[in-house]
């Protein structure tokens, strides 16, 4: 039954529902990946930065510039390789949001595609992720509590052939918020195909400011997603890995940020 429902949801999002979404004014301008939580959070110098473009108040494109990480050498952190940019084109149809990556001519980049089924303007109901070199795709199902906050994300690996579609649960994320409507903790259970939990990942967020979070409408990008969930802006992040079988700690790391604010008290995420 779960697989049947998953297939129905996949068809629903791929067809593109025409239901009208709520819209609100998003952040404008540029922002830097050093203030996000992403795979490069441990580096003192950001390996990438992004600029947003808008059309009728909605994000229409994100352009990313990559630094020394893609050059294999980090001898000169000021080097920015403009020819290694990646463009994220954002398209809207009803309450479906589609993101497709592309690169400039002359430099090949793996094509990826994200399809978001929206429940409300900042609430994702379902997500399908595809990449051109994979025979499978990933799907995420989102659930919310009675106050509208995200409560869980179920991640599926979906395998499709000519006769059937098989969906396997890979991870389950549980979200905890504090009384100030800010994200406090995300616990991820990593599962085997039979549902056995093999590891736990605990991410914690803290040192929130009292300023308005200007990134609340950038739900569609992975590196900003955690920041979009809170009323204010976290300045401390840690990630803790636990072996679920032995209970042993297998890794702990984190990062703290210094945020800069403009005269209106709004954090400026394009300041390094």
């Amino acid at each position: 039954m779960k697989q049947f429902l998953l297939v129905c949801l996949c068809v629903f999002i791929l067809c593109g529902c025409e239901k009208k979404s709520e819209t609100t004014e998003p952040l404008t301008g540029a922002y830097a990946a050093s203030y996000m939580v992403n795979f490069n959070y441990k580096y003192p110098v950001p390996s990438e930065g992004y600029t947003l473009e808008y059309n009728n108040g909605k994000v229409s494109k994100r352009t990313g510039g990559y630094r020394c990480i893609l050059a294999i050498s980090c001898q000169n952190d000021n080097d920015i390789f403009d020819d290694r940019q990646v463009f994220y084109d954002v398209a809207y149809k009803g309450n479906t949001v589609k993101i497709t990556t592309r690169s400039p001519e002359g430099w090949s980049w793996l094509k990826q595609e994200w399809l978001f089924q929206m429940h409300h303007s900042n609430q994702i109901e379902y997500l399908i992720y595809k990449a051109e070199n994979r025979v499978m795709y990933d799907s995420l199902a989102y659930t919310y509590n009675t106050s509208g906050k995200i409560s869980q994300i179920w991640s599926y690996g979906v395998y499709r052939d000519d006769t059937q579609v098989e969906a396997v649960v890979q991870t389950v994320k549980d979200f905890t918020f504090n009384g100030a409507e800010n994200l406090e903790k995300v616990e991820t259970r990593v599962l085997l195909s039979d549902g056995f939990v093999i590891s736990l990942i605990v991410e914690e967020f803290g040192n929130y400011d009292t300023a308005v979070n200007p990134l609340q409408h950038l739900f569609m990008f992975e590196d900003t997603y955690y920041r979009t969930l809170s009323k204010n802006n976290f300045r401390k992040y840690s990630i803790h890995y636990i072996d679920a079988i032995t209970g042993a700690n297998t890794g702990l790391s984190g990062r703290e940020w210094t945020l800069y604010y403009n005269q209106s008290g709004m954090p400026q995420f394009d300041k390094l």
Side-chain angles (χ1 to χ4, degrees):
M1 176 61 71
K2 181 182 291 185
Q3 293 182 11
F4 174 75
L5 292 174
L6 181 63
V7 173
C8 291
L9 282 168
C10 292
V11 172
F12 184 59
I13 188 172
L14 289 171
C15 291
C17 177
E18 292 296 334
K19 178 183 175 182
K20 184 176 178 59
S21 294
E22 298 176 12
T23 58
T24 48
E25 187 66 24
L27 171 74
T28 59
Y31 63 98
S34 60
Y35 289 130
M36 311 308 161
V37 173
N38 60 24
F39 297 115
N40 298 320
Y41 73 89
K42 67 181 72 173
Y43 293 98
V45 176
S47 63
E48 54 190 289
Y50 299 104
T51 300
L52 302 176
E53 294 183 20
Y54 291 83
N55 184 17
N56 296 324
K58 291 184 177 181
V59 177
S60 59
K61 184 169 72 173
R62 183 172 84 156
T63 304
Y66 286 66
R67 300 189 181 191
C68 59
I69 297 300
L70 289 182
I72 304 177
S73 171
C74 291
Q75 297 301 315
N76 186 353
D77 289 332
N78 293 320
D79 287 341
I80 301 178
F81 295 84
D82 292 330
D83 62 334
R84 295 174 184 265
Q85 288 179 334
V86 179
F87 300 98
Y88 299 75
D89 296 310
V90 185
Y92 302 85
K93 183 179 180 181
N95 64 339
T96 298
V97 180
K98 178 180 178 181
I99 299 178
T100 306
T101 57
R102 60 184 174 88
S103 63
E105 293 183 11
W107 192 68
S108 178
W109 181 261
L110 175 67
K111 182 179 179 181
Q112 302 175 81
E113 184 178 85
W114 294 262
L115 290 168
F116 296 86
Q117 174 71 47
M118 302 303 297
H119 181 59
H120 291 297
S121 59
N122 293 319
Q123 289 186 347
I124 307 169
E125 184 173 359
Y126 212 79
L127 167 64
I128 294 178
Y129 164 74
K130 300 178 180 180
E132 63 182 354
N133 66 336
R134 303 173 71 205
V135 296
M136 60 168 288
Y137 56 89
D138 297 329
S139 297
L140 276 66
Y142 298 70
T143 58
Y144 297 85
N145 59 30
T146 54
S147 62
K149 290 290 188 182
I150 183 73
S151 59
Q152 282 190 326
I153 296 178
W154 289 66
S155 173
Y156 298 86
V158 183
Y159 304 84
R160 170 181 286 172
D161 58 27
D162 294 335
T163 60
Q164 64 178 359
V165 176
E166 180 182 4
V168 178
V169 180
Q170 297 178 323
T171 63
V172 179
K173 291 179 181 289
D174 292 288
F175 292 76
T176 301
F177 292 84
N178 61 27
E181 300 182 28
N182 292 320
L183 181 63
E184 193 170 74
K185 183 167 57 176
V186 178
E187 293 183 305
T188 302
R189 287 167 280 154
V190 182
L191 311 174
L192 294 176
S193 58
D194 61 359
F196 185 78
V197 180
I198 58 172
S199 65
L200 299 173
I201 303 172
V202 180
E203 299 171 276
E204 295 184 289
F205 308 81
N207 192 22
Y208 277 91
D209 62 14
T210 57
V212 173
N213 172 13
L215 301 176
Q216 289 181 324
H217 305 286
L218 296 180
F219 59 85
M220 72 280 283
F221 301 120
E222 183 180 20
D223 51 15
T224 58
Y225 181 69
Y226 281 158
R227 285 196 176 275
T228 68
L229 300 175
S230 298
K231 179 180 179 181
N232 306 118
N233 307 278
F234 64 80
R235 295 172 291 189
K236 185 176 181 180
Y237 169 80
S238 66
I239 183 167
H240 188 190
Y241 299 90
I242 304 170
D243 186 316
I245 300 174
T246 65
N249 297 325
T250 58
L252 174 64
S253 56
R255 178 165 182 181
E256 293 189 51
W257 288 267
T258 298
L259 295 182
Y260 298 92
Y261 304 85
N262 61 21
Q263 293 181 347
S264 300
M266 187 73 72
Q268 298 175 285
F269 284 96
D270 58 345
K271 300 295 183 183
L272 297 178

